[in-house]
Amino acid sequence: MSQNTFAASARVLEEIGVGPVWVRRHLAVETAEAEAAATPVAAAPVPAPQRAAQPAARPAPAPAPAPAQDDGLPPWLNEMSDADMAPPGFMPNDDEDDEPVIRINPAIATMDWAKLKETVAECRQCGLCNGRKKTVFGVGDEKAKWLFIGEGPGRNEDMQGEPFVGPAGKLLDNMLVAMGLKRGENAYIANIVKCRPTDEAGKDRPPSAQEVASCLPYLQRQIALIQPTVLVALGKTAALSLLGLDPATPVSKLRGTVHRYQGLPLVVTYHPAYLLRQLGDKSKAWADLCLAMTTYADTTD
Ligand code: URA
């Protein structure tokens, strides 16, 4: 990293609340500025962003197993009609022994923005529609080069119909600013599911595998319409849903590598809500965003 780039990074780290910055020794002696930034070692070391690993070709994402309930099924499943059992993007393989795979439903795959928005607003493909106030389609520049993907709406988002409008959203906005981006300008923000998942006590919960499978085709179509350069998965649900990985996989295992989704580079980082609880991991998130920026630069060279 050049001294100028480093200084710029230090500034943005301060902006998202990550600083002060740990500095590699050789950099520290190179400039007084770097030395000043290095003096208080309060934050965890910021690992140098790794270059993109060889993108592994991945199979179409398969839904992760639903969390085990008493009867082994997600609670809302019993309320579903037969029609609901075949959500639009969920097409099981002919071979019963195979894992089900998600393939984009041809109807969704040809929708334009207006039709897609209308379809999402009226969607009743899973039980989440019963509790929602508003669907949360996504927000931002429909030609954005950057797509940030969260888990699903929380209480604030459900009321306002916009993703990331609570405290986590404020942090996300700051992370965008640190990257030279802005909500609505060259950035689009979406979620894995468009309706708020809640538990029986009305608290937010991660979406089930079936809910993800129902909703993912909408996001897939958004990606196809936006044609972003880089995807950033915010947190475990986004990362595992997109990559079709075992639910036990920790985010820490997925960081530092450039994955692929729909042929596009995908960088995984921590969810902003997690970062609000684990301030010490903000520096890691910044390293992830640096990796995403490097990937972007490499892709647009
Ligand atoms: N968390 C998310 O993952 N998405 C939102 O839109 C809000 C909070």
Side-chain angles (χ1 to χ4, degrees):
M1 192 184 289
S2 74
Q3 289 166 24
N4 284 347
T5 314
F6 177 81
S9 293
R11 275 198 304 280
V12 292
L13 281 168
E14 290 291 344
E15 197 156 352
I16 63 170
V18 174
V21 183
W22 177 88
V23 186
R24 299 248 310 254
R25 198 177 300 270
H26 73 276
L27 275 179
V29 295
E30 278 172 13
T31 66
E33 190 182 356
E35 202 169 332
T39 308
V41 189
V46 181
Q50 295 178 27
R51 304 293 285 192
Q54 278 308 313
R58 290 190 178 272
Q69 306 289 319
D70 284 349
D71 58 0
L73 296 170
W76 50 267
L77 201 57
N78 296 333
E79 300 159 20
M80 295 176 80
S81 68
D82 286 348
D84 286 337
M85 293 298 288
F90 187 72
M91 298 182 175
N93 286 346
D94 294 340
D95 183 345
E96 283 177 9
D97 292 338
D98 279 357
E99 285 280 303
V101 293
I102 301 164
R103 287 194 210 105
I104 195 158
N105 180 298
I108 297 176
T110 57
M111 286 178 185
D112 61 15
W113 279 110
K115 184 69 187 162
L116 188 64
K117 286 174 188 173
E118 182 191 317
T119 306
V120 167
E122 292 167 359
C123 182
R124 303 198 65 78
Q125 294 293 339
C126 81
L128 294 185
C129 63
N130 297 324
R132 76 179 174 221
K133 290 194 171 56
K134 288 189 176 170
T135 55
V136 179
F137 181 79
V139 70
D141 179 353
E142 291 175 357
K143 292 268 169 262
K145 299 292 179 210
W146 288 91
L147 175 57
F148 295 82
I149 303 168
E151 175 179 286
R155 188 166 169 275
N156 294 316
E157 292 77 18
D158 179 54
M159 287 191 298
Q160 296 184 38
E162 181 170 332
F164 285 99
V165 290
K170 217 171 164 117
L171 176 58
L172 177 59
D173 284 342
N174 285 337
M175 290 160 74
L176 295 183
V177 170
M179 298 172 74
L181 299 169
K182 201 173 162 195
R183 183 183 289 242
E185 277 176 30
N186 204 19
Y188 195 95
I189 304 170
N191 281 313
I192 293 292
V193 294
K194 312 289 191 219
C195 298
R196 181 189 180 199
T198 52
D199 63 17
E200 277 151 22
K203 291 221 164 104
D204 291 338
R205 63 160 172 84
S208 71
Q210 182 73 20
E211 289 156 354
V212 170
S214 301
C215 218
L216 205 52
Y218 298 132
L219 178 63
Q220 289 170 332
R221 184 59 188 152
Q222 285 173 300
I223 295 172
L225 287 167
I226 297 168
Q227 296 187 2
T229 303
V230 177
L231 311 179
V232 179
L234 302 166
K236 184 168 176 158
T237 298
L240 300 187
S241 303
L242 295 173
L243 297 172
L245 296 174
D246 187 296
T249 314
V251 168
S252 56
K253 274 234 160 99
L254 303 172
R255 297 182 49 248
T257 299
V258 180
H259 307 269
R260 310 288 298 183
Y261 185 71
Q262 287 190 201
L264 299 168
L266 167 76
V267 172
V268 175
T269 192
Y270 293 112
H271 192 284
Y274 165 85
L275 292 173
L276 290 174
R277 298 189 303 272
Q278 299 291 332
L279 299 181
D281 279 344
K282 278 186 173 181
S283 55
K284 294 183 188 166
W286 176 242
D288 300 333
L289 298 181
C290 288
L291 172 61
M293 288 189 281
T294 307
T295 305
Y296 177 87
D298 288 350
T299 310
T300 52
D301 264 352

